Amino acid sequence: MRKIYADNAATTALSPEVLEAMMPYFTTVYGNPSSLYEIGSEAKEAVENARLKISQLIGAKSANEIYFTSGGSESDNWAIKGVARALKKRGKTHIITSKFEHHAVLHTCHALKKEGFEITYVDVYENGIVRVEDIEAAITDKTAIVSIMYANNEIGTIQPIAEIGKLCRDKGVIFHTDAVQAMGNVPINVEEQNIDLLSMTAHKLHGPKGCGALYIRKGIRPAVLIDGGAQERGMRAGTENVAGIVGFAKALELAIAGQEYRREHVTAMRNRLIDSLLTIERSRLNGDRDKRLPGNLNMCFEGIEGESLLLMLDMNGISSSSGSACTSGSLDPSHVLLAIGLPHEVAHGSMRLSFSDDITEEDVDYIADRVKYIVNYLRNMSPLWETIKKNEKEGKA
Amino acid sequence: MAYSEKVMDHFANPRNVGEIPDADGIGEVGNSRCGDIMKMYLKIDGDTITDVKFKTFGCGAAIATSSMATELVKGKSIDNALQLTNKAVMEALDGLPPVKVHCSVLAEEAIKAALSDYYQRKGIDPTLIIGAPSTSDEDREDPTCGE
């Protein structure tokens, strides 16, 4: 059976080149970067080379603006909690974010609400894109930080980051973006886009799990989240994940080198599949078609439930994801799909596919064939679909 | 979350899917907002459930519990079917993940709703026979959603 891994927004396969770059730091250069003997200083050098490379790849002014962390969730927590707590004593008690952020941001904001912060959640509208004017209207003299994701993890929509960056710079408000999904897929330049803090992770771009970074613009000093040793210039304690950091830098370099190919090839494959699947009656594409990550497809099929579709796709060798309640572990469907205005019953029937560079025309045609078969099969046994068709016949919506 | 082999078998090869055009009792439970609807059709001859079919909108566990519930009542007496519990459905499926227990409750309720319809059609008040679902509170996930 054909096997297609189409859940690259969840995580990616480690690239063989990345693994090769990492290997020496598991086997021979295993020293602690804080140690003064040879394999310690070699490890330290590897970490600093990675830091410099990553800073250059995101257009940062200095390698000292890159702080390694355990990944996206830690970076998001640190950026928002760190800035909010540091600015609280200056009377800055307001945070602006959007309704469809990753839970690492949303739950961080919920935690800060308990500490007395006021949170504004801006709308993301039907196309899944925030409006800069909404953020402008929400900014007050108490606003500590604006946090808007670069691209959404479920529907892949790309936000107007440069415009938000400029607005925040003009208003003197700190701007953080969670770029976990966007990194390597779209051009990012923290200087040109006026980004003050940027969350990154390695495992979404064929790097290793458990390693990420936070870019912190020089002059901004978020409160420390992880106390301990003097690593990361006293800002983030803990022995460095040396192999992970080396792998992260290599993976980012490769991802950016392949960006153009991805924009052309993966987008074309993705669009071929969207067009094919939109021929299914009562189907819809979630989020803006053009302002979205190349590999992201998120669609709903009315009358069926997403987990059933996901399980049947798995039986056909296709790994996918769904925003249905059943896969979220709660009774509510994805907050992202509800934020773009989908009714609960439609959101339950969602499917997310996220492709990597290796996706082929044969793959997407196979997926289209299987999805059409399964949607039809599940609808045939769905009393909800029966009701939808009956209402259609009787001229109801 | 992982499903047992039996759940996957009943999901992949559901038994008794479909409708019975001249059913003697039809029951529908759940709602689309929560993501689960089960519809059961019963054919009853005398005291025996001679045929049963179902249609389900829902997750893997919803389909598997519907399928298993039909298997547990098919060919049985009405009295037998009235004693069906969500626990029996779960046990027959070698268990369900905790978040999916409510699917087994729905399956039990769907069978009972169809029997209730059967009695109503015969002019008999079903509440005297069927009463409230026999599920204990601890087994039951909060059935509300999206509120």
Side-chain angles (χ1 to χ4, degrees), chain A residues 304-305 307-308 315 326 331-332 348 380-381 383 386, chain B residues 3 33 39 55-60 100 142 144 146:
Chain A
I304 66 161
E305 199 278 335
E307 191 207 78
S308 293
M315 291 175 199
C326 280
L331 287 167
D332 274 329
H348 283 304
N380 277 335
M381 65 187 293
E386 194 182 308
Chain B
Y3 287 132
R33 192 179 163 84
K39 197 170 181 181
K55 284 180 93 172
T56 289
F57 158 73
C59 62
K100 302 292 189 179
D142 184 0
T144 59

mmCIF file with all atom_site columns, all heavy atoms in Angstrom, chain A residues 304-305 307-308 315 326 331-332 348 380-381 383 386, chain B residues 3 33 39 55-60 100 142 144 146:
data_model
loop_
_atom_site.group_PDB
_atom_site.id
_atom_site.type_symbol
_atom_site.label_atom_id
_atom_site.label_alt_id
_atom_site.label_comp_id
_atom_site.label_asym_id
_atom_site.label_entity_id
_atom_site.label_seq_id
_atom_site.pdbx_PDB_ins_code
_atom_site.Cartn_x
_atom_site.Cartn_y
_atom_site.Cartn_z
_atom_site.occupancy
_atom_site.B_iso_or_equiv
_atom_site.pdbx_formal_charge
_atom_site.auth_seq_id
_atom_site.auth_comp_id
_atom_site.auth_asym_id
_atom_site.auth_atom_id
_atom_site.pdbx_PDB_model_num
ATOM 1   N N   . ILE A 1 304 ? -20.232 14.520 7.711  1.00 0.00 ? 304 ILE A N   1
ATOM 2   C CA  . ILE A 1 304 ? -19.365 13.467 8.254  1.00 0.00 ? 304 ILE A CA  1
ATOM 3   C C   . ILE A 1 304 ? -18.549 14.032 9.410  1.00 0.00 ? 304 ILE A C   1
ATOM 4   O O   . ILE A 1 304 ? -18.473 15.245 9.596  1.00 0.00 ? 304 ILE A O   1
ATOM 5   C CB  . ILE A 1 304 ? -18.420 12.861 7.194  1.00 0.00 ? 304 ILE A CB  1
ATOM 6   C CG1 . ILE A 1 304 ? -17.409 13.900 6.718  1.00 0.00 ? 304 ILE A CG1 1
ATOM 7   C CG2 . ILE A 1 304 ? -19.204 12.273 6.041  1.00 0.00 ? 304 ILE A CG2 1
ATOM 8   C CD1 . ILE A 1 304 ? -16.213 13.285 6.052  1.00 0.00 ? 304 ILE A CD1 1
ATOM 9   N N   . GLU A 1 305 ? -17.934 13.131 10.146 1.00 0.00 ? 305 GLU A N   1
ATOM 10  C CA  . GLU A 1 305 ? -17.161 13.523 11.318 1.00 0.00 ? 305 GLU A CA  1
ATOM 11  C C   . GLU A 1 305 ? -15.679 13.255 11.032 1.00 0.00 ? 305 GLU A C   1
ATOM 12  O O   . GLU A 1 305 ? -15.328 12.227 10.449 1.00 0.00 ? 305 GLU A O   1
ATOM 13  C CB  . GLU A 1 305 ? -17.657 12.705 12.518 1.00 0.00 ? 305 GLU A CB  1
ATOM 14  C CG  . GLU A 1 305 ? -17.301 13.280 13.855 1.00 0.00 ? 305 GLU A CG  1
ATOM 15  C CD  . GLU A 1 305 ? -15.894 12.917 14.270 1.00 0.00 ? 305 GLU A CD  1
ATOM 16  O OE1 . GLU A 1 305 ? -15.380 11.888 13.793 1.00 0.00 ? 305 GLU A OE1 1
ATOM 17  O OE2 . GLU A 1 305 ? -15.295 13.672 15.030 1.00 0.00 ? 305 GLU A OE2 1
ATOM 18  N N   . GLU A 1 307 ? -12.896 12.525 12.707 1.00 0.00 ? 307 GLU A N   1
ATOM 19  C CA  . GLU A 1 307 ? -12.074 11.419 13.212 1.00 0.00 ? 307 GLU A CA  1
ATOM 20  C C   . GLU A 1 307 ? -12.290 10.164 12.379 1.00 0.00 ? 307 GLU A C   1
ATOM 21  O O   . GLU A 1 307 ? -11.346 9.419  12.101 1.00 0.00 ? 307 GLU A O   1
ATOM 22  C CB  . GLU A 1 307 ? -12.382 11.118 14.682 1.00 0.00 ? 307 GLU A CB  1
ATOM 23  C CG  . GLU A 1 307 ? -11.360 10.174 15.284 1.00 0.00 ? 307 GLU A CG  1
ATOM 24  C CD  . GLU A 1 307 ? -11.890 9.355  16.439 1.00 0.00 ? 307 GLU A CD  1
ATOM 25  O OE1 . GLU A 1 307 ? -12.607 8.360  16.197 1.00 0.00 ? 307 GLU A OE1 1
ATOM 26  O OE2 . GLU A 1 307 ? -11.598 9.707  17.581 1.00 0.00 ? 307 GLU A OE2 1
ATOM 27  N N   . SER A 1 308 ? -13.527 9.912  11.974 1.00 0.00 ? 308 SER A N   1
ATOM 28  C CA  . SER A 1 308 ? -13.806 8.743  11.135 1.00 0.00 ? 308 SER A CA  1
ATOM 29  C C   . SER A 1 308 ? -13.040 8.840  9.817  1.00 0.00 ? 308 SER A C   1
ATOM 30  O O   . SER A 1 308 ? -12.472 7.859  9.336  1.00 0.00 ? 308 SER A O   1
ATOM 31  C CB  . SER A 1 308 ? -15.303 8.652  10.834 1.00 0.00 ? 308 SER A CB  1
ATOM 32  O OG  . SER A 1 308 ? -16.006 8.368  12.005 1.00 0.00 ? 308 SER A OG  1
ATOM 33  N N   . MET A 1 315 ? -6.121  3.912  7.341  1.00 0.00 ? 315 MET A N   1
ATOM 34  C CA  . MET A 1 315 ? -6.222  2.543  6.805  1.00 0.00 ? 315 MET A CA  1
ATOM 35  C C   . MET A 1 315 ? -5.785  2.496  5.348  1.00 0.00 ? 315 MET A C   1
ATOM 36  O O   . MET A 1 315 ? -5.460  1.433  4.825  1.00 0.00 ? 315 MET A O   1
ATOM 37  C CB  . MET A 1 315 ? -7.668  2.042  6.885  1.00 0.00 ? 315 MET A CB  1
ATOM 38  C CG  . MET A 1 315 ? -8.155  1.794  8.286  1.00 0.00 ? 315 MET A CG  1
ATOM 39  S SD  . MET A 1 315 ? -9.913  1.360  8.198  1.00 0.00 ? 315 MET A SD  1
ATOM 40  C CE  . MET A 1 315 ? -10.395 1.674  9.858  1.00 0.00 ? 315 MET A CE  1
ATOM 41  N N   . CYS A 1 326 ? -13.568 15.058 18.513 1.00 0.00 ? 326 CYS A N   1
ATOM 42  C CA  . CYS A 1 326 ? -13.055 13.751 18.895 1.00 0.00 ? 326 CYS A CA  1
ATOM 43  C C   . CYS A 1 326 ? -11.540 13.698 18.874 1.00 0.00 ? 326 CYS A C   1
ATOM 44  O O   . CYS A 1 326 ? -10.940 12.969 19.639 1.00 0.00 ? 326 CYS A O   1
ATOM 45  C CB  . CYS A 1 326 ? -13.623 12.695 17.977 1.00 0.00 ? 326 CYS A CB  1
ATOM 46  S SG  . CYS A 1 326 ? -15.276 12.266 18.481 1.00 0.00 ? 326 CYS A SG  1
ATOM 47  N N   . LEU A 1 331 ? -15.221 17.926 23.772 1.00 0.00 ? 331 LEU A N   1
ATOM 48  C CA  . LEU A 1 331 ? -16.453 17.791 22.991 1.00 0.00 ? 331 LEU A CA  1
ATOM 49  C C   . LEU A 1 331 ? -16.611 18.920 21.989 1.00 0.00 ? 331 LEU A C   1
ATOM 50  O O   . LEU A 1 331 ? -17.516 18.919 21.172 1.00 0.00 ? 331 LEU A O   1
ATOM 51  C CB  . LEU A 1 331 ? -17.665 17.727 23.926 1.00 0.00 ? 331 LEU A CB  1
ATOM 52  C CG  . LEU A 1 331 ? -17.812 16.398 24.697 1.00 0.00 ? 331 LEU A CG  1
ATOM 53  C CD1 . LEU A 1 331 ? -18.822 16.523 25.808 1.00 0.00 ? 331 LEU A CD1 1
ATOM 54  C CD2 . LEU A 1 331 ? -18.196 15.263 23.761 1.00 0.00 ? 331 LEU A CD2 1
ATOM 55  N N   . ASP A 1 332 ? -15.726 19.906 22.050 1.00 0.00 ? 332 ASP A N   1
ATOM 56  C CA  . ASP A 1 332 ? -15.806 21.027 21.124 1.00 0.00 ? 332 ASP A CA  1
ATOM 57  C C   . ASP A 1 332 ? -14.825 20.853 19.978 1.00 0.00 ? 332 ASP A C   1
ATOM 58  O O   . ASP A 1 332 ? -13.702 20.405 20.182 1.00 0.00 ? 332 ASP A O   1
ATOM 59  C CB  . ASP A 1 332 ? -15.479 22.339 21.836 1.00 0.00 ? 332 ASP A CB  1
ATOM 60  C CG  . ASP A 1 332 ? -16.700 22.932 22.494 1.00 0.00 ? 332 ASP A CG  1
ATOM 61  O OD1 . ASP A 1 332 ? -17.811 22.720 21.969 1.00 0.00 ? 332 ASP A OD1 1
ATOM 62  O OD2 . ASP A 1 332 ? -16.557 23.603 23.535 1.00 0.00 ? 332 ASP A OD2 1
ATOM 63  N N   . HIS A 1 348 ? -16.851 19.880 12.815 1.00 0.00 ? 348 HIS A N   1
ATOM 64  C CA  . HIS A 1 348 ? -16.594 18.477 13.167 1.00 0.00 ? 348 HIS A CA  1
ATOM 65  C C   . HIS A 1 348 ? -16.100 17.677 11.960 1.00 0.00 ? 348 HIS A C   1
ATOM 66  O O   . HIS A 1 348 ? -15.447 16.658 12.126 1.00 0.00 ? 348 HIS A O   1
ATOM 67  C CB  . HIS A 1 348 ? -17.873 17.816 13.698 1.00 0.00 ? 348 HIS A CB  1
ATOM 68  C CG  . HIS A 1 348 ? -18.211 18.182 15.096 1.00 0.00 ? 348 HIS A CG  1
ATOM 69  N ND1 . HIS A 1 348 ? -17.337 18.007 16.139 1.00 0.00 ? 348 HIS A ND1 1
ATOM 70  C CD2 . HIS A 1 348 ? -19.342 18.720 15.645 1.00 0.00 ? 348 HIS A CD2 1
ATOM 71  C CE1 . HIS A 1 348 ? -17.923 18.415 17.264 1.00 0.00 ? 348 HIS A CE1 1
ATOM 72  N NE2 . HIS A 1 348 ? -19.121 18.867 16.989 1.00 0.00 ? 348 HIS A NE2 1
ATOM 73  N N   . ASN A 1 380 ? -23.021 7.971  3.317  1.00 0.00 ? 380 ASN A N   1
ATOM 74  C CA  . ASN A 1 380 ? -24.070 6.974  3.119  1.00 0.00 ? 380 ASN A CA  1
ATOM 75  C C   . ASN A 1 380 ? -24.557 6.387  4.426  1.00 0.00 ? 380 ASN A C   1
ATOM 76  O O   . ASN A 1 380 ? -25.675 5.878  4.494  1.00 0.00 ? 380 ASN A O   1
ATOM 77  C CB  . ASN A 1 380 ? -23.569 5.845  2.204  1.00 0.00 ? 380 ASN A CB  1
ATOM 78  C CG  . ASN A 1 380 ? -23.706 6.234  0.749  1.00 0.00 ? 380 ASN A CG  1
ATOM 79  O OD1 . ASN A 1 380 ? -24.541 7.072  0.398  1.00 0.00 ? 380 ASN A OD1 1
ATOM 80  N ND2 . ASN A 1 380 ? -22.885 5.655  -0.102 1.00 0.00 ? 380 ASN A ND2 1
ATOM 81  N N   . MET A 1 381 ? -23.718 6.428  5.454  1.00 0.00 ? 381 MET A N   1
ATOM 82  C CA  . MET A 1 381 ? -24.177 5.894  6.737  1.00 0.00 ? 381 MET A CA  1
ATOM 83  C C   . MET A 1 381 ? -24.465 7.001  7.746  1.00 0.00 ? 381 MET A C   1
ATOM 84  O O   . MET A 1 381 ? -24.616 6.735  8.934  1.00 0.00 ? 381 MET A O   1
ATOM 85  C CB  . MET A 1 381 ? -23.171 4.864  7.284  1.00 0.00 ? 381 MET A CB  1
ATOM 86  C CG  . MET A 1 381 ? -21.829 5.409  7.642  1.00 0.00 ? 381 MET A CG  1
ATOM 87  S SD  . MET A 1 381 ? -20.657 4.074  8.091  1.00 0.00 ? 381 MET A SD  1
ATOM 88  C CE  . MET A 1 381 ? -21.363 3.472  9.585  1.00 0.00 ? 381 MET A CE  1
ATOM 89  N N   . PRO A 1 383 ? -26.838 9.824  9.354  1.00 0.00 ? 383 PRO A N   1
ATOM 90  C CA  . PRO A 1 383 ? -28.184 10.399 9.428  1.00 0.00 ? 383 PRO A CA  1
ATOM 91  C C   . PRO A 1 383 ? -28.167 11.919 9.264  1.00 0.00 ? 383 PRO A C   1
ATOM 92  O O   . PRO A 1 383 ? -29.161 12.502 8.822  1.00 0.00 ? 383 PRO A O   1
ATOM 93  C CB  . PRO A 1 383 ? -28.680 10.009 10.823 1.00 0.00 ? 383 PRO A CB  1
ATOM 94  C CG  . PRO A 1 383 ? -27.495 9.538  11.589 1.00 0.00 ? 383 PRO A CG  1
ATOM 95  C CD  . PRO A 1 383 ? -26.411 9.212  10.623 1.00 0.00 ? 383 PRO A CD  1
ATOM 96  N N   . GLU A 1 386 ? -28.339 12.558 5.638  1.00 0.00 ? 386 GLU A N   1
ATOM 97  C CA  . GLU A 1 386 ? -29.719 12.273 5.217  1.00 0.00 ? 386 GLU A CA  1
ATOM 98  C C   . GLU A 1 386 ? -30.586 13.510 5.451  1.00 0.00 ? 386 GLU A C   1
ATOM 99  O O   . GLU A 1 386 ? -31.362 13.911 4.583  1.00 0.00 ? 386 GLU A O   1
ATOM 100 C CB  . GLU A 1 386 ? -30.194 11.106 6.088  1.00 0.00 ? 386 GLU A CB  1
ATOM 101 C CG  . GLU A 1 386 ? -31.443 10.396 5.662  1.00 0.00 ? 386 GLU A CG  1
ATOM 102 C CD  . GLU A 1 386 ? -31.783 9.299  6.694  1.00 0.00 ? 386 GLU A CD  1
ATOM 103 O OE1 . GLU A 1 386 ? -30.899 8.472  7.016  1.00 0.00 ? 386 GLU A OE1 1
ATOM 104 O OE2 . GLU A 1 386 ? -32.925 9.300  7.194  1.00 0.00 ? 386 GLU A OE2 1
ATOM 105 N N   . TYR B 2 3   ? -7.591  2.867  20.146 1.00 0.00 ? 3   TYR B N   1
ATOM 106 C CA  . TYR B 2 3   ? -8.755  1.987  20.153 1.00 0.00 ? 3   TYR B CA  1
ATOM 107 C C   . TYR B 2 3   ? -8.309  0.531  20.215 1.00 0.00 ? 3   TYR B C   1
ATOM 108 O O   . TYR B 2 3   ? -7.252  0.179  19.687 1.00 0.00 ? 3   TYR B O   1
ATOM 109 C CB  . TYR B 2 3   ? -9.567  2.197  18.881 1.00 0.00 ? 3   TYR B CB  1
ATOM 110 C CG  . TYR B 2 3   ? -10.350 3.488  18.828 1.00 0.00 ? 3   TYR B CG  1
ATOM 111 C CD1 . TYR B 2 3   ? -10.306 4.303  17.705 1.00 0.00 ? 3   TYR B CD1 1
ATOM 112 C CD2 . TYR B 2 3   ? -11.180 3.859  19.887 1.00 0.00 ? 3   TYR B CD2 1
ATOM 113 C CE1 . TYR B 2 3   ? -11.048 5.473  17.637 1.00 0.00 ? 3   TYR B CE1 1
ATOM 114 C CE2 . TYR B 2 3   ? -11.927 5.034  19.817 1.00 0.00 ? 3   TYR B CE2 1
ATOM 115 C CZ  . TYR B 2 3   ? -11.855 5.832  18.692 1.00 0.00 ? 3   TYR B CZ  1
ATOM 116 O OH  . TYR B 2 3   ? -12.587 6.971  18.635 1.00 0.00 ? 3   TYR B OH  1
ATOM 117 N N   . ARG B 2 33  ? -24.353 19.260 16.694 1.00 0.00 ? 33  ARG B N   1
ATOM 118 C CA  . ARG B 2 33  ? -23.465 20.221 17.338 1.00 0.00 ? 33  ARG B CA  1
ATOM 119 C C   . ARG B 2 33  ? -22.372 19.509 18.135 1.00 0.00 ? 33  ARG B C   1
ATOM 120 O O   . ARG B 2 33  ? -21.214 19.921 18.162 1.00 0.00 ? 33  ARG B O   1
ATOM 121 C CB  . ARG B 2 33  ? -24.303 21.118 18.259 1.00 0.00 ? 33  ARG B CB  1
ATOM 122 C CG  . ARG B 2 33  ? -23.568 22.326 18.759 1.00 0.00 ? 33  ARG B CG  1
ATOM 123 C CD  . ARG B 2 33  ? -24.491 23.165 19.635 1.00 0.00 ? 33  ARG B CD  1
ATOM 124 N NE  . ARG B 2 33  ? -23.691 24.078 20.421 1.00 0.00 ? 33  ARG B NE  1
ATOM 125 C CZ  . ARG B 2 33  ? -23.258 25.263 19.995 1.00 0.00 ? 33  ARG B CZ  1
ATOM 126 N NH1 . ARG B 2 33  ? -23.563 25.668 18.773 1.00 0.00 ? 33  ARG B NH1 1
ATOM 127 N NH2 . ARG B 2 33  ? -22.536 26.035 20.768 1.00 0.00 ? 33  ARG B NH2 1
ATOM 128 N N   . LYS B 2 39  ? -28.899 6.644  14.622 1.00 0.00 ? 39  LYS B N   1
ATOM 129 C CA  . LYS B 2 39  ? -30.272 6.329  14.269 1.00 0.00 ? 39  LYS B CA  1
ATOM 130 C C   . LYS B 2 39  ? -30.396 4.812  14.159 1.00 0.00 ? 39  LYS B C   1
ATOM 131 O O   . LYS B 2 39  ? -29.637 4.186  13.422 1.00 0.00 ? 39  LYS B O   1
ATOM 132 C CB  . LYS B 2 39  ? -30.608 7.002  12.933 1.00 0.00 ? 39  LYS B CB  1
ATOM 133 C CG  . LYS B 2 39  ? -32.083 7.106  12.637 1.00 0.00 ? 39  LYS B CG  1
ATOM 134 C CD  . LYS B 2 39  ? -32.304 8.006  11.421 1.00 0.00 ? 39  LYS B CD  1
ATOM 135 C CE  . LYS B 2 39  ? -33.783 8.156  11.109 1.00 0.00 ? 39  LYS B CE  1
ATOM 136 N NZ  . LYS B 2 39  ? -33.995 9.013  9.929  1.00 0.00 ? 39  LYS B NZ  1
ATOM 137 N N   . LYS B 2 55  ? -27.693 3.872  11.302 1.00 0.00 ? 55  LYS B N   1
ATOM 138 C CA  . LYS B 2 55  ? -26.908 4.880  10.581 1.00 0.00 ? 55  LYS B CA  1
ATOM 139 C C   . LYS B 2 55  ? -26.315 5.799  11.642 1.00 0.00 ? 55  LYS B C   1
ATOM 140 O O   . LYS B 2 55  ? -27.014 6.181  12.585 1.00 0.00 ? 55  LYS B O   1
ATOM 141 C CB  . LYS B 2 55  ? -27.778 5.685  9.610  1.00 0.00 ? 55  LYS B CB  1
ATOM 142 C CG  . LYS B 2 55  ? -28.120 4.908  8.344  1.00 0.00 ? 55  LYS B CG  1
ATOM 143 C CD  . LYS B 2 55  ? -28.990 5.728  7.406  1.00 0.00 ? 55  LYS B CD  1
ATOM 144 C CE  . LYS B 2 55  ? -28.144 6.474  6.382  1.00 0.00 ? 55  LYS B CE  1
ATOM 145 N NZ  . LYS B 2 55  ? -29.002 7.129  5.357  1.00 0.00 ? 55  LYS B NZ  1
ATOM 146 N N   . THR B 2 56  ? -25.039 6.131  11.505 1.00 0.00 ? 56  THR B N   1
ATOM 147 C CA  . THR B 2 56  ? -24.384 6.971  12.504 1.00 0.00 ? 56  THR B CA  1
ATOM 148 C C   . THR B 2 56  ? -23.525 8.044  11.856 1.00 0.00 ? 56  THR B C   1
ATOM 149 O O   . THR B 2 56  ? -22.795 7.774  10.905 1.00 0.00 ? 56  THR B O   1
ATOM 150 C CB  . THR B 2 56  ? -23.525 6.103  13.455 1.00 0.00 ? 56  THR B CB  1
ATOM 151 O OG1 . THR B 2 56  ? -24.395 5.351  14.293 1.00 0.00 ? 56  THR B OG1 1
ATOM 152 C CG2 . THR B 2 56  ? -22.603 6.949  14.327 1.00 0.00 ? 56  THR B CG2 1
ATOM 153 N N   . PHE B 2 57  ? -23.656 9.260  12.394 1.00 0.00 ? 57  PHE B N   1
ATOM 154 C CA  . PHE B 2 57  ? -22.730 10.357 12.107 1.00 0.00 ? 57  PHE B CA  1
ATOM 155 C C   . PHE B 2 57  ? -21.885 10.489 13.363 1.00 0.00 ? 57  PHE B C   1
ATOM 156 O O   . PHE B 2 57  ? -22.430 10.721 14.444 1.00 0.00 ? 57  PHE B O   1
ATOM 157 C CB  . PHE B 2 57  ? -23.518 11.644 11.836 1.00 0.00 ? 57  PHE B CB  1
ATOM 158 C CG  . PHE B 2 57  ? -22.732 12.918 12.041 1.00 0.00 ? 57  PHE B CG  1
ATOM 159 C CD1 . PHE B 2 57  ? -21.759 13.314 11.139 1.00 0.00 ? 57  PHE B CD1 1
ATOM 160 C CD2 . PHE B 2 57  ? -22.978 13.727 13.152 1.00 0.00 ? 57  PHE B CD2 1
ATOM 161 C CE1 . PHE B 2 57  ? -21.043 14.499 11.346 1.00 0.00 ? 57  PHE B CE1 1
ATOM 162 C CE2 . PHE B 2 57  ? -22.264 14.908 13.353 1.00 0.00 ? 57  PHE B CE2 1
ATOM 163 C CZ  . PHE B 2 57  ? -21.292 15.293 12.445 1.00 0.00 ? 57  PHE B CZ  1
ATOM 164 N N   . GLY B 2 58  ? -20.592 10.292 13.251 1.00 0.00 ? 58  GLY B N   1
ATOM 165 C CA  . GLY B 2 58  ? -19.765 10.414 14.440 1.00 0.00 ? 58  GLY B CA  1
ATOM 166 C C   . GLY B 2 58  ? -18.397 9.813  14.255 1.00 0.00 ? 58  GLY B C   1
ATOM 167 O O   . GLY B 2 58  ? -18.016 9.393  13.158 1.00 0.00 ? 58  GLY B O   1
ATOM 168 N N   . CYS B 2 59  ? -17.668 9.771  15.368 1.00 0.00 ? 59  CYS B N   1
ATOM 169 C CA  . CYS B 2 59  ? -16.275 9.336  15.336 1.00 0.00 ? 59  CYS B CA  1
ATOM 170 C C   . CYS B 2 59  ? -16.176 7.814  15.244 1.00 0.00 ? 59  CYS B C   1
ATOM 171 O O   . CYS B 2 59  ? -17.185 7.117  15.188 1.00 0.00 ? 59  CYS B O   1
ATOM 172 C CB  . CYS B 2 59  ? -15.576 9.825  16.597 1.00 0.00 ? 59  CYS B CB  1
ATOM 173 S SG  . CYS B 2 59  ? -16.284 9.156  18.104 1.00 0.00 ? 59  CYS B SG  1
ATOM 174 N N   . GLY B 2 60  ? -14.971 7.302  15.265 1.00 0.00 ? 60  GLY B N   1
ATOM 175 C CA  . GLY B 2 60  ? -14.741 5.868  15.185 1.00 0.00 ? 60  GLY B CA  1
ATOM 176 C C   . GLY B 2 60  ? -15.479 5.110  16.267 1.00 0.00 ? 60  GLY B C   1
ATOM 177 O O   . GLY B 2 60  ? -16.109 4.071  16.008 1.00 0.00 ? 60  GLY B O   1
ATOM 178 N N   . LYS B 2 100 ? -14.348 8.579  25.183 1.00 0.00 ? 100 LYS B N   1
ATOM 179 C CA  . LYS B 2 100 ? -15.299 7.990  24.235 1.00 0.00 ? 100 LYS B CA  1
ATOM 180 C C   . LYS B 2 100 ? -16.428 7.225  24.905 1.00 0.00 ? 100 LYS B C   1
ATOM 181 O O   . LYS B 2 100 ? -17.271 6.642  24.221 1.00 0.00 ? 100 LYS B O   1
ATOM 182 C CB  . LYS B 2 100 ? -14.562 7.042  23.279 1.00 0.00 ? 100 LYS B CB  1
ATOM 183 C CG  . LYS B 2 100 ? -13.452 7.689  22.503 1.00 0.00 ? 100 LYS B CG  1
ATOM 184 C CD  . LYS B 2 100 ? -13.988 8.688  21.515 1.00 0.00 ? 100 LYS B CD  1
ATOM 185 C CE  . LYS B 2 100 ? -12.887 9.159  20.587 1.00 0.00 ? 100 LYS B CE  1
ATOM 186 N NZ  . LYS B 2 100 ? -13.366 10.099 19.599 1.00 0.00 ? 100 LYS B NZ  1
ATOM 187 N N   . ASP B 2 142 ? -19.977 14.276 30.507 1.00 0.00 ? 142 ASP B N   1
ATOM 188 C CA  . ASP B 2 142 ? -20.922 15.380 30.417 1.00 0.00 ? 142 ASP B CA  1
ATOM 189 C C   . ASP B 2 142 ? -21.429 15.475 28.983 1.00 0.00 ? 142 ASP B C   1
ATOM 190 O O   . ASP B 2 142 ? -20.647 15.665 28.062 1.00 0.00 ? 142 ASP B O   1
ATOM 191 C CB  . ASP B 2 142 ? -20.200 16.683 30.799 1.00 0.00 ? 142 ASP B CB  1
ATOM 192 C CG  . ASP B 2 142 ? -21.155 17.864 30.817 1.00 0.00 ? 142 ASP B CG  1
ATOM 193 O OD1 . ASP B 2 142 ? -22.358 17.678 30.536 1.00 0.00 ? 142 ASP B OD1 1
ATOM 194 O OD2 . ASP B 2 142 ? -20.688 18.970 31.100 1.00 0.00 ? 142 ASP B OD2 1
ATOM 195 N N   . THR B 2 144 ? -23.178 17.690 27.507 1.00 0.00 ? 144 THR B N   1
ATOM 196 C CA  . THR B 2 144 ? -23.321 19.003 26.890 1.00 0.00 ? 144 THR B CA  1
ATOM 197 C C   . THR B 2 144 ? -22.069 19.328 26.101 1.00 0.00 ? 144 THR B C   1
ATOM 198 O O   . THR B 2 144 ? -20.988 18.854 26.395 1.00 0.00 ? 144 THR B O   1
ATOM 199 C CB  . THR B 2 144 ? -23.511 20.105 27.949 1.00 0.00 ? 144 THR B CB  1
ATOM 200 O OG1 . THR B 2 144 ? -22.375 20.092 28.799 1.00 0.00 ? 144 THR B OG1 1
ATOM 201 C CG2 . THR B 2 144 ? -24.764 19.897 28.747 1.00 0.00 ? 144 THR B CG2 1
ATOM 202 N N   . GLY B 2 146 ? -20.238 22.606 23.503 1.00 0.00 ? 146 GLY B N   1
ATOM 203 C CA  . GLY B 2 146 ? -20.303 23.893 22.815 1.00 0.00 ? 146 GLY B CA  1
ATOM 204 C C   . GLY B 2 146 ? -21.070 24.964 23.570 1.00 0.00 ? 146 GLY B C   1
ATOM 205 O O   . GLY B 2 146 ? -21.636 25.859 22.957 1.00 0.00 ? 146 GLY B O   1
#
